[in-house]
Amino acid sequence: MPDDVKIPNHLSSKLAEQVPAMLSYWDKNQICRFANKAYLEWFGRTPDEMINKMTLHDLLGPIYPLNEPHIIGVLEGKSQTFEREIKSPMGVIRYALINYHPDKVDNEIIGFHTYVTDISVLKISEKKLVKSNQVYLNQNQMLLNFSNAITHNLKSYSDGLSSIVDVLKENDIKEEEKVKLLGFLFRLSDRFSETISHLNEIVAAQNQASLTYEKVYLHNYADKTTQSLQIQMDIKEGIILNKIPVNTALFANPAYIESILHNILSNAIKYSHPDRTPLIEINCVEENNTLILTLKDNGIGIDLKKHGKDLFGMYKTFSTNKDAKGIGLFISKYQVEVMGGEISMESQLNEGTNVTIKFPVTN
């Protein structure tokens, strides 16, 4: 160490070496003059690598420009406190609360102290909380849409029934008119029953107070769902390719996984393109502790510019298909989010649709 560099006594003490706090000292040229054991271990460095040799630029590498304004500030005599995302030597993302404090001698800045606190647990919890809050907001919005749909539909049926009954009460109504009105009444009754059935499906999906979770092998469930839809695929001479690795497992609710796969695959069959053989590919990969399940088809696709905001809305349909009900994706989104996942869709009209579902990997 050069003779003109003097390390503060408290940093060279045994106490500084033993405390769990991560401490270091850098001279005005940003050369490391001290780093305690905790600091060295956190950055995966040895004393021989750092002390009196390594600059802060060398240590921080690509994130140095982010810290540079704070370094300039502390060398101007202003204490700095900020958060930073830092990769561990093993490539794991960690979060740090960093403090820079200037070291002055005779009003001249000769260096600065750094105090690093690992706040990874707090930041991860905060991110989970933010995500959970967003899920709750989404769920509340879905429930509001559900409530509005019920109110609108029931009022429509009520108004229709009242109008028909009022006319039927008239004494001078002709027989042929009465038959016509009864036909309206029967059709209205059928639609009303169908609506109640759909609402019951949604309530059943949302009304499970506590879900049981277990290890679900996605390849097996995709096979099971494919078999249940085999008749529909045979009619259209279609193909479902299950490319999910056999050992891919997810800790989830089995009934929800089966329902999600069934809703999306049945949609892909229902909206297959009339001019080509239906082809559906199911795959799953793991990236950054996330399972990414994809279901890709070559069907008629959806105009997302026109319908993008309504993709997962209740009773939202995007084709003239008479079998379209508009509740499958609504239910699937709810089930995915309840299990902590995310669902999204990419589609091009007349080319096909790709549904992506992401689930966090849990042990």
Side-chain angles (χ1 to χ4, degrees):
M1 180 184 302
D3 294 337
D4 61 343
V5 177
K6 183 179 180 182
I7 303 305
N9 291 332
H10 67 281
L11 287 178
S12 60
S13 70
K14 290 184 178 180
L15 178 61
E17 286 294 343
Q18 298 303 318
V19 295
M22 292 169 274
L23 311 175
S24 65
Y25 182 84
W26 306 79
D27 67 19
K28 62 183 180 181
N29 296 314
Q30 302 179 43
I31 298 172
C32 181
R33 298 304 184 180
F34 173 83
N36 72 346
K37 181 179 178 182
Y39 191 96
L40 291 168
E41 288 179 350
W42 207 73
F43 281 96
R45 302 291 183 173
T46 66
D48 288 341
E49 286 178 311
M50 278 195 64
I51 311 301
N52 301 321
K53 296 177 182 177
M54 185 170 286
T55 66
L56 197 51
H57 186 282
D58 294 332
L59 178 67
L60 298 178
I63 67 170
Y64 179 84
L66 297 176
N67 286 35
E68 192 169 21
H70 301 289
I71 296 169
I72 293 172
V74 74
L75 290 175
E76 291 175 348
K78 304 167 188 174
S79 294
Q80 307 287 312
T81 301
F82 57 98
E83 293 181 9
R84 186 67 67 234
E85 183 179 293
I86 300 175
K87 275 189 179 182
S88 74
M90 303 300 293
V92 177
I93 296 296
R94 298 173 300 183
Y95 300 89
L97 177 65
I98 302 172
N99 295 276
Y100 290 167
H101 294 286
D103 184 26
K104 295 182 181 180
V105 174
D106 297 329
N107 287 323
E108 180 184 349
I109 306 297
I110 63 169
F112 58 97
H113 311 275
T114 70
Y115 305 89
V116 180
T117 305
D118 189 337
I119 58 170
S120 298
V121 173
L122 292 175
K123 292 298 291 184
I124 291 170
S125 297
E126 177 187 315
K127 288 191 172 187
K128 286 182 178 178
L129 182 60
V130 169
K131 183 177 179 180
S132 296
N133 286 340
Q134 188 58 52
V135 168
Y136 289 135
L137 288 173
N138 291 342
Q139 297 297 334
N140 285 338
Q141 186 60 50
M142 290 177 72
L143 291 173
L144 178 61
N145 293 341
F146 175 62
S147 175
N148 290 338
I150 291 176
T151 302
H152 177 269
N153 288 343
L154 295 186
K155 186 177 185 304
S156 297
Y157 291 123
S158 174
D159 291 345
L161 288 170
S162 296
S163 299
I164 292 173
V165 170
D166 287 342
V167 175
L168 287 172
K169 285 179 180 179
E170 296 177 6
N171 295 325
D172 59 347
I173 185 172
K174 295 180 181 180
E175 190 63 29
E176 60 268 23
E177 187 67 21
K178 186 182 295 187
V179 172
K180 184 178 180 180
L181 288 171
L182 285 174
F184 288 151
L185 184 61
F186 291 148
R187 287 194 292 274
L188 189 63
S189 175
D190 288 341
R191 290 199 299 271
F192 179 73
S193 296
E194 185 180 35
T195 296
I196 293 300
S197 175
H198 293 161
L199 295 178
N200 282 335
E201 285 184 51
I202 295 169
V203 169
Q206 295 177 335
N207 203 30
Q208 294 192 29
S210 59
L211 293 176
T212 56
Y213 288 79
E214 61 184 67
K215 201 170 189 179
V216 173
Y217 287 92
L218 292 176
H219 182 95
N220 295 343
Y221 272 77
D223 266 353
K224 181 179 178 182
T225 307
T226 298
Q227 290 167 14
S228 72
L229 296 168
Q230 195 60 53
I231 293 176
Q232 293 94 311
M233 285 299 285
D234 287 345
I235 290 172
K236 297 193 175 186
E237 300 182 343
I239 300 170
I240 298 180
L241 299 178
N242 181 2
K243 296 183 176 181
I244 301 175
V246 175
N247 294 325
T248 301
L250 174 68
F251 197 62
N253 178 264
Y256 273 16
I257 292 296
E258 189 171 348
S259 173
I260 292 163
L261 288 171
H262 187 277
N263 279 332
I264 295 172
L265 288 176
S266 60
N267 271 355
I269 297 171
K270 188 184 301 180
Y271 302 118
S272 59
H273 200 285
D275 298 330
R276 53 178 172 257
T277 299
L279 175 62
I280 305 169
E281 295 184 25
I282 316 169
N283 210 335
C284 190
V285 296
E286 182 176 340
E287 294 179 2
N288 300 321
N289 292 321
T290 301
L291 275 182
I292 304 174
L293 176 67
T294 57
L295 300 98
K296 182 180 180 181
D297 67 59
N298 64 345
I300 60 175
I302 300 171
D303 184 349
L304 294 184
K305 290 182 179 179
K306 184 177 180 181
H307 301 294
K309 66 181 187 304
D310 296 323
L311 274 180
F312 299 99
M314 182 176 169
Y315 291 135
K316 301 298 183 181
T317 57
F318 317 110
S319 78
T320 56
N321 191 316
K322 62 182 178 62
D323 296 325
K325 305 301 180 186
I327 63 170
L329 288 178
F330 179 87
I331 292 175
S332 294
K333 180 177 174 64
Y334 176 86
Q335 293 171 328
V336 167
E337 290 184 346
V338 163
M339 293 188 293
E342 301 173 0
I343 183 169
S344 60
M345 183 184 292
E346 296 177 355
S347 188
Q348 290 190 23
L349 199 59
N350 294 318
E351 291 190 18
T353 298
N354 188 16
V355 177
T356 301
I357 303 172
K358 297 181 180 181
F359 288 110
V361 175
T362 55
N363 297 320

